Amino acid sequence: MRYFLFLLIASFSFAQQTEKVDFLELNAILTPKAATKSIEGQIRYAFKVKSAIDTIKIDAKNMTFTDLKINGKEVAFKKTSTHLLLFEGFKKGKNTLTFSYSATPKQTLYFIGEGDDLQIWTQGQGRYTSHWLPSFDDVNEKVIFNLSITDVYDFEDEKITQKTVLSNGILKDVVTRKSWSEGVDFITYNYKMNKPMPSYLVMLAIGNFVKNTEISKTGIPLELYLDKNDVSKYEPTYRYSKQIFDFFEREIGVKYPWKIYRQVPVRDFLYAGMENTTSTIFAQDYVVDEIGFNDRNYVNVNAHELAHQWFGDLITAKSGKHHWLQEGFATYYALMAEREVFGNDYFHYELYKTANQLRIAAKNDTIPILNEKASSLTFYQKGAWALHMLKESIGEKAFRKAVKNYLKKYKFNNVETDDFLKEVNKVSDFDTDNFKKVWLEKSGFEYQEAIKLLTKRNSFIAQYIEIKKQKELNNTNFVTYIDDYRTLLQSDLYYPIKQEIVYQIRNLNYKSNKDLVESALQSTDFRVRQAVVNSFPKVPDYLKGKFEMLLDDNSYDTREIAFVNLWNSFPDSRKVYLDKAKNWIGNNEKSSRILYLLYIQLFDQSIEGVDRQQLYLELQNYTSSRYESSVRQNAFEAVLQLNPKDETVLKNLINATSHFKWRFSGYAKDKITTLSKDNEVKEIIQNLLPSVSDIEKNRVERLLNH
């Protein structure tokens, strides 16, 4: 009971801790243990006690502590499942805290693969860094983090490759210590930060990465990493990176606030990217080749995470209520960077699309921006729109000045929305009170005002909206538009207008649409050709040759859609299409390869030189845990279409229910629920349960009994 009362009393003081205690600097020596998926470390914190406080809290989830000393003396401490509590030995003024710890995190620190393919990485956004590093969930506690990361290598095993080890800040040095008795190298990478940041921005990433370095116009090293197997994809993956960096320094008007910037892709990352200070981690799915760049590229995510180095890392919102100061700003500045790369029509079309998303979402989403429970769409896209309306209202010059002053005044500190609006008031007579009420405190979206602004600023948007009004076309009234549409399709107008024309003419008769469809297929923009492919699941005879040419299109997505449509439309040519697709791989998720493996099984004839059973085993193998979740999900969809009773695949599906990536595990759970409606499949799944882990067994039993 006394212990409970101690915790209860202490908990009331934690909310005010940052007012009384300031943690200044962390020096940590960390050793990740791949074999046990754990981490060990020696910690040294410097902190300052500003006023009397009974208990000091450090967030630490399920950790073990030893050798704890304050100012060099051993002191008593308390440990809970979530915190390290210090209640003696500290004094007013500067103090030092040292201890050793160990943890086996259930989240936040991830070990992917094994051996030479091992990757270790972190994802701390939110309040998660305290799962692997004793730190602070409160974003208002900013600390200078210096991490020394030790990785262990067997120097007698020539097969083991020394990995790249990354963290925040400048790599000061790398120290190697050989242990001849143990036959291993202890290699320590010493990283140093010079300025404070919140704990959620601390990172580490370990893997077989290859580095390319570019230098910004202001002399900042831009370290761009790829997995050693992806070196040929460097240029398309990191296309425009230096241009975006240089643009931000010009546009924002505040020099990049750190001494280095690096980016590294990792397998099965939880999100698109994460803006760890100086060191962004992003998803492997954005690593693309020249063709894959057209289907899904890293440009927007690249710019978004870089913008956060100012908006989120340099200055940080005090609470979730003001989260738009990070995500709205990063979204808007990323869009401005894309305008620099792709042009003005692109910029306004993206704003137009998000305006329509917000209009539709507003029917059910009633939570405004200034609410910590607001949706991601609100924080990101409505936040970006609010900034766009503000900039258009006060002018670009005043907007830039306000942002520059805001960043300089609050650098390395925490901010609220009114801090930014005060800077706007200093450079303009704009009514920020009304702006705040309408755009930040009111739910919904000012759609008509947004569209009015877009059409005023961009003639393409005005023309696009006008063409969209002609949706109810038929073979009679289409004659009115045919000449204009032909001219537009043959023009250099931005692609969405041409896409819209394709969508309007697809249901017209052969005589009306033939010339226009063929004009669209001659477009140099793959997105216009893709609109045609999507519009004709049943390929007309007159388009067969044109669609077959699209099997070599510079878009993997277009190739795949054309293949399926041709397969369904011309059964006699299926062998030709299979031969065309036999060497396809596609993007990171192997969708093109998996498409081929599926359709080779669906083909009802034998093909000389093709071992269909071997190809089925390849498809089956892609469902295993050796592959990323995106590959596995594509493979599950394909192989379960062929054989929903495949025990190997069903066991892999059971395994997927425990995957740390919640979208993928959710997919697996839903798939099992659907498949188990078939009693035979349900029985197979039940018979597999004794051979899986207890966690997987319990989870699937709940699904089957639901």
Side-chain angles (χ1 to χ4, degrees), residues 462-504:
Q463 188 175 11
Y464 178 70
I465 292 174
E466 195 61 34
I467 288 176
K468 282 183 71 70
K469 292 178 181 178
Q470 316 300 332
K471 278 189 175 295
E472 301 302 322
L473 292 179
N474 56 53
N475 290 308
T476 301
N477 67 16
F478 179 65
V479 176
T480 308
Y481 304 103
I482 189 168
D483 290 335
D484 290 340
Y485 278 12
R486 182 181 293 108
T487 300
L488 291 172
L489 284 171
Q490 294 172 351
S491 73
D492 60 358
L493 277 171
Y494 195 43
Y495 78 91
I497 284 179
K498 301 175 185 180
Q499 281 186 325
E500 181 59 30
I501 291 172
V502 171
Y503 296 145
Q504 290 186 19

Side-chain angles (χ1 to χ4, degrees), residues 155-288:
F155 60 70
E156 295 180 350
D157 189 342
E158 296 179 358
K159 296 180 181 178
I160 295 179
T161 304
Q162 180 176 328
K163 290 181 168 55
T164 301
V165 176
L166 306 175
S167 190
N168 309 86
I170 295 291
L171 177 61
K172 289 179 60 182
D173 54 36
V174 179
V175 179
T176 300
R177 178 173 62 86
K178 289 185 182 293
S179 172
W180 295 102
S181 61
E182 298 179 51
V184 296
D185 285 349
F186 294 90
I187 304 179
T188 302
Y189 301 76
N190 297 306
Y191 281 90
K192 172 72 175 175
M193 287 289 296
N194 293 313
K195 297 295 183 179
M197 64 181 183
S199 298
Y200 79 88
L201 296 170
V202 182
M203 64 79 71
L204 66 83
I206 301 174
N208 280 327
F209 303 120
V210 176
K211 177 181 70 174
N212 280 277
T213 302
E214 300 185 23
I215 305 296
S216 76
K217 283 188 176 181
T218 55
I220 299 295
L222 310 178
E223 294 184 350
L224 309 174
Y225 291 85
L226 286 176
D227 183 274
K228 66 173 184 177
N229 297 313
D230 294 323
V231 291
S232 64
K233 299 178 181 179
Y234 170 76
E235 192 284 325
T237 297
Y238 285 114
R239 189 172 294 171
Y240 308 122
S241 290
K242 181 180 179 299
Q243 182 180 349
I244 292 168
F245 190 98
D246 292 336
F247 167 76
F248 275 156
E249 289 203 311
R250 293 195 313 271
E251 178 65 29
I252 295 171
V254 174
K255 191 176 184 295
Y256 176 74
W258 320 100
K259 293 182 178 296
I260 194 168
Y261 185 56
R262 59 179 64 89
Q263 300 176 76
V264 58
V266 299
R267 297 193 298 273
D268 263 330
F269 195 57
L270 298 174
Y271 306 104
M274 177 61 203
E275 69 278 10
N276 311 294
T277 309
T278 74
S279 303
T280 286
I281 296 178
F282 67 97
Q284 176 72 23
D285 283 346
Y286 289 104
V287 176
V288 295

Side-chain angles (χ1 to χ4, degrees), residues 12-39:
F12 286 109
S13 66
F14 293 159
Q16 304 302 320
Q17 178 169 302
T18 55
E19 297 178 6
K20 298 181 178 182
V21 181
D22 184 12
F23 277 80
L24 305 171
E25 187 170 9
L26 165 73
N27 287 278
I29 301 173
L30 306 174
T31 304
K33 303 280 191 176
T36 55
K37 297 186 177 180
S38 62
I39 188 167

Side-chain angles (χ1 to χ4, degrees), residues 368 370 382 421 431-443 446:
L370 286 183
K382 187 178 178 182
L421 295 181
D431 187 351
T432 54
D433 288 337
N434 184 63
F435 169 80
K436 185 177 179 181
K437 289 177 183 177
V438 173
W439 283 93
L440 307 180
E441 296 177 334
K442 178 183 172 184
S443 63
E446 303 299 312

Side-chain angles (χ1 to χ4, degrees), residues 555-571:
S555 158
Y556 292 127
D557 290 347
T558 302
R559 292 181 183 185
E560 292 169 18
I561 300 166
F563 176 92
V564 173
N565 292 355
L566 286 165
W567 175 281
N568 292 329
S569 301
F570 304 104

Side-chain angles (χ1 to χ4, degrees), residues 405-422:
N405 292 343
Y406 165 64
L407 289 169
K408 287 192 169 183
K409 182 175 181 179
Y410 296 103
K411 62 183 179 181
F412 308 115
N413 287 300
N414 295 78
V415 290
E416 295 180 346
T417 297
D418 285 343
D419 295 327
F420 172 61
L421 295 181
K422 286 175 185 176

